Amino acid sequence: EKGGYDHFMLKEIYEQPRAILDTYRGRLLADQKLIKMAGIDEHLDKFVNANRIIIVACGTSWHAGLVAEYIFEDLARIPVEVEYASEFRYRNPVITDKDVLIAISQSGETADTLAAIKLAKENGAFVFGVCNVVGSSIARETNAGAYTHAGPEIGVASTKAFTTQITVLSLIALKLAQEKGSLTDEQFTSFLTELEYIPTKVEVALQSNDAIEKIAEVYKDSPNCLYLGRGYNFPVALEGALKLKEISYIHAEGYPAAEMKHGPIALIDESMPVIVIATNKGHYEKVVSNIQEIKSRKGKIIAVVTEGDVQVKELADHVIEVPETLEALTPLLTTIPLQLLSYHIALMRGCNVDQPRNLAKSVTVE
Ligand code: F6R
């Protein structure tokens, strides 16, 4: 059942090229310059005329929502707010019939997300679901939706659900961008082409597994870890930190790279590993200067960079390369090494990778 892998988590990490492909197959029609998604097509006016999109989710799905915020605003120019479902449902939010609410949930059973949907519906919003489990409560409660085709995710720590959620949300953003004319034809086509390369590029990213295992060996006993990313990779930093704390029980925090100097920099000394996502697009130079600041305080730097990187390689203690892609699609690649790093560290610490203590696969009580 684990298909030759030692753990479901590792199997699911390796399933990502396939899961991403399955998620866009039949929807992304590059030769026709078309994105076909029934749930969107049937309600296109709701999306195009929306005053804003509100995204609600929990945990890893919330991180996918943050990535989606960047993509929707960047490509489709629609204002987006991302909220923890638990906060949204209790804070008396302003919701109107001009709002579209997107609920993201792997299990489709998360109690807070379900309650947020009910609240939004009561207030007249159009509610769209991005779920993995077919026929789940959230899938049934929403007005329309699009499934991620990740296949069953058994490991409690979410991996392929995250990347397939980003895939679905990217497709939606692209479809709306095309509809609204907010991207040029050329930009739109290059997105479709690049999205089609992602499964192959994830395969390439997975080839760093052995190198990542060696890095894990060095840092497995660290009590703390800091994750930094900027722009599209800020949510990836949050997700990297969540993955590490969930399965290895190491205290980890994710921050937008520029926020470092507003506090977390005080934590940096020779015993602090800092994982920095420093791909070549989107404020690369600024991230490089963050890396210099960490280095001058003797922090240990593990950098995720674009293939062929020169500058960061000179500064970092370890570099992990991922293939080049469009900035908006980098989260699909940069997430991979962070999943593997957490996996190996947890394993070396003797943790139960697939069933971490105190956690459940679906959180059906608030
Ligand atoms: C993280 C994790 C949790 C879930 C969260 C939401 O690895 O598993 O943070 O992401 O409980 O679950 P869903 O997506 O099922 O609503």
Side-chain angles (χ1 to χ4, degrees), residues 232-233 236 279 281 323 325-335:
Y232 278 98
N233 284 298
V236 176
T279 42
K281 301 196 188 75
T325 187
L326 296 174
E327 187 190 351
L329 301 176
T330 51
L332 293 166
L333 303 180
T334 51
T335 299

Side-chain angles (χ1 to χ4, degrees), residues 233-296:
N233 284 298
F234 156 53
V236 176
L238 295 181
E239 173 59 10
L242 176 64
K243 218 85 300 176
L244 187 70
K245 66 188 123 180
E246 278 183 299
I247 62 168
S248 75
Y249 318 137
I250 293 174
H251 171 237
E253 289 194 60
Y255 266 96
E259 276 295 304
M260 187 178 72
K261 59 172 71 68
H262 299 283
I265 198 165
L267 295 168
I268 295 176
D269 62 13
E270 63 286 346
S271 66
M272 176 65 103
V274 187
I275 290 106
V276 189
I277 305 150
T279 42
N280 66 357
K281 301 196 188 75
H283 324 290
Y284 175 77
E285 296 296 336
K286 291 183 198 291
V287 177
V288 171
S289 64
N290 289 136
I291 293 176
Q292 274 155 343
E293 285 163 356
I294 301 163
K295 197 174 167 68
S296 64

Side-chain angles (χ1 to χ4, degrees), residues 69 78 169 172 247 275 295 313:
E69 173 180 27
I78 302 173
L169 293 158
I172 300 173
I247 62 168
I275 290 106
K295 197 174 167 68
K313 262 185 202 152

